DNA sequence: GACAACCTGACC
DNA sequence: GGTCAGGTTGTC
């Protein structure tokens, strides 16, 4: 479900509500979503202070005292929601933490999401986190060009590759490429430096604008308070197959790349 | 690379 | 009944 802007929004919401609180209780209601490889049990969080919550790519990392971290990946339909009261029975509720002043719930209809608890040495070896590429906002234009320049694969596939750059998924790959005027299936190696620099600017602009609008609620995404985002109303390409391009009035086309629906304007994107 | 798999639900 | 869905991972 969520990509960088959605995860960033959730992390900000949760930090504002939970930072500094003490864990009273924590537990899985369904261990199916427990990440394989995590070792300390969830009960070891009890009594610990939540130092802060961080985002790394699409991953959410809760930092607790005692060198413990909890890693959450929401995948397609996962949600982290705050609540004062216990929700009534919900078959999609899989994990909960009670803090002294609020509760945090993990819901996931499709059960693709994962939660794992690690100490710092285990966290350093985490198979997904340890291989993650740089954060988009940390990249200079030359570094961005270097990262994508020689790649012999469609630029959209490279943009969504978490080991090349972290946090971009299907929506923001399509939107960034629209903003840069680049066809999603163009091989990265065929794009000259100026156009790659333009793409870098577009990625940053699109991600920032999406964060400002609290993410895109196309299907399932809700923020930490259970509210929808607004960026779905501003999408130029994603999900607009057959509709008129907002810039040139041509019809938005759909192709499949890397097994994912890909939307672009054949006139604006070359 | 392409493709299926992991799951459930919405929609045609 | 079939298709599709903000993701990742393992197998051709």
């Amino acid at each position: 479900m969520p990509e960088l802007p959605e995860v960033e929004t959730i992390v900000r919401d949760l930090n504002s509500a939970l930072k500094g609180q003490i864990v009273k209780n924590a537990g899985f209601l369904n261990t199916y979503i427990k990440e394989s490889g995590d070792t300390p049990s969830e009960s070891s969080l009890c009594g610990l202070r939540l130092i802060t919550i961080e985002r790394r790519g699409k991953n959410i990392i809760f930092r607790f005292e005692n060198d413990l971290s909890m890693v959450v990946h929401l995948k397609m339909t996962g949600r982290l929601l705050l609540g004062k009261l216990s929700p009534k029975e919900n078959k999609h509720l899989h994990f909960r933490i009670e803090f002294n002043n609020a509760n945090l719930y993990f819901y996931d209809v499709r059960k693709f999401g994962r939660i794992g608890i690690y100490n710092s040495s285990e966290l350093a070896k985490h198979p997904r986190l340890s291989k993650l590429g740089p954060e988009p906002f940390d990249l200079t234009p030359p570094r961005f060009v270097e990262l994508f320049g020689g790649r012999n694969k469609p630029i959209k596939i490279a943009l969504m590759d978490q080991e090349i750059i972290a946090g971009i998924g299907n929506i923001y790959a399509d939107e960034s490429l629209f903003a840069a005027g680049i066809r999603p299936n163009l091989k990265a190696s065929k794009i000259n430096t100026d156009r790659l620099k333009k793409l870098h600017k577009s990625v940053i602009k699109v991600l920032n604008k999406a964060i400002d609008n609290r993410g895109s609620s196309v299907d399932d995404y809700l923020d930490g308070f259970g509210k929808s985002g607004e960026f779905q109303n501003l999408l130029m390409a994603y999900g607009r197959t057959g509709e008129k391009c907002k810039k040139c009035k041509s019809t938005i086309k759909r192709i499949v790349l890397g097994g994912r629906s890909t939307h672009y304007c054949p006139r604006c994107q070359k």
Side-chain angles (χ1 to χ4, degrees), chain A residues 20-62:
Chain A
Q21 292 204 36
I22 310 283
V23 178
K24 282 167 57 186
N25 219 330
F28 287 92
L29 289 84
N30 182 354
T31 51
Y32 185 91
I33 58 131
K34 209 167 153 64
E35 205 158 55
S36 62
D38 86 328
T39 37
S41 96
E42 61 274 20
S43 60
S44 57
L45 296 176
C46 291
L48 300 184
R49 183 179 301 276
L50 173 64
I51 300 165
T52 191
I53 308 167
E54 296 164 10
R55 180 190 60 73
R56 179 71 177 96
K58 302 171 194 171
N59 299 268
I60 303 170
I61 306 172
F62 291 73

Side-chain angles (χ1 to χ4, degrees), chain A residues 128-145:
Chain A
R128 191 177 55 246
L129 284 176
S130 61
K131 282 190 291 189
L132 233 37
E135 290 291 322
F137 297 124
D138 290 347
L139 291 173
T140 60
R143 184 78 189 101
F144 184 92
V145 170

Side-chain angles (χ1 to χ4, degrees), chain A residues 35-266:
Chain A
E35 205 158 55
S36 62
D38 86 328
T39 37
S41 96
E42 61 274 20
S43 60
S44 57
L45 296 176
C46 291
L48 300 184
R49 183 179 301 276
L50 173 64
I51 300 165
T52 191
I53 308 167
E54 296 164 10
R55 180 190 60 73
R56 179 71 177 96
K58 302 171 194 171
N59 299 268
I60 303 170
I61 306 172
F62 291 73
R63 305 267 184 198
F64 294 95
E65 294 173 328
N66 274 16
D67 190 40
L68 284 185
S69 296
M70 181 173 86
V71 177
V72 181
H73 200 302
L74 301 168
K75 295 284 180 81
M76 295 285 262
T77 51
R79 293 174 175 171
L80 279 173
L81 295 170
L82 291 158
K84 278 264 178 197
L85 302 169
S86 202
K88 48 184 183 180
E89 293 260 332
N90 186 315
K91 62 173 173 171
H92 303 307
L93 174 61
H94 308 306
F95 181 81
R96 108 180 137 241
I97 299 190
E98 293 164 24
F99 290 90
N100 45 313
N101 198 24
N103 301 330
L104 181 66
Y105 301 99
F106 177 80
Y107 293 86
D108 192 350
V109 169
R110 292 174 76 177
K111 299 197 202 78
F112 288 173
R114 290 291 178 272
I115 297 183
I117 297 160
Y118 304 90
N119 62 36
S120 57
S121 70
E122 293 162 347
L123 192 68
K125 290 180 290 190
H126 190 284
R128 191 177 55 246
L129 284 176
S130 61
K131 282 190 291 189
L132 233 37
E135 290 291 322
F137 297 124
D138 290 347
L139 291 173
T140 60
R143 184 78 189 101
F144 184 92
V145 170
E146 211 174 271
L147 221 43
F148 290 92
R151 309 251 175 204
N152 188 33
K153 47 171 140 186
I155 184 64
K156 175 170 176 185
I157 306 257
L159 276 177
M160 291 206 301
D161 186 335
Q162 303 300 299
E163 295 181 23
I164 299 178
I165 188 169
I168 300 172
N170 209 21
I171 294 181
Y172 300 104
D174 280 1
E175 292 300 305
S176 300
L177 288 165
F178 178 91
I182 297 172
R183 289 233 178 170
N185 60 353
L186 195 58
K187 291 256 174 76
S189 54
K190 302 262 178 168
I191 306 173
N192 68 31
T193 303
D194 280 353
R195 298 189 78 203
L196 283 175
K197 283 185 178 164
K198 169 129 198 238
L199 178 58
H200 174 241
K201 280 201 177 116
S202 301
V203 166
I204 299 300
K205 213 166 127 184
V206 165
L207 292 176
N208 272 324
K209 200 170 167 195
I211 292 171
D212 289 346
N213 284 275
R214 302 186 58 77
S216 304
S217 292
V218 172
D219 207 21
D220 292 284
Y221 162 72
L222 296 177
D223 66 23
F225 303 112
K227 295 204 301 196
S228 296
E230 297 296 336
F231 196 69
Q232 66 277 12
N233 304 316
L234 303 176
L235 296 174
M236 301 294 279
Y238 180 84
R240 303 194 66 246
T241 310
E243 293 177 41
K244 296 235 175 302
C245 172
K246 293 180 184 176
K247 251 191 198 162
C248 79
K249 310 285 181 227
S250 317
T251 305
I252 299 291
K253 262 188 81 172
R254 175 185 184 270
I255 56 172
V256 174
L257 275 181
R260 316 296 302 278
S261 280
T262 297
H263 319 75
Y264 71 99
C265 171

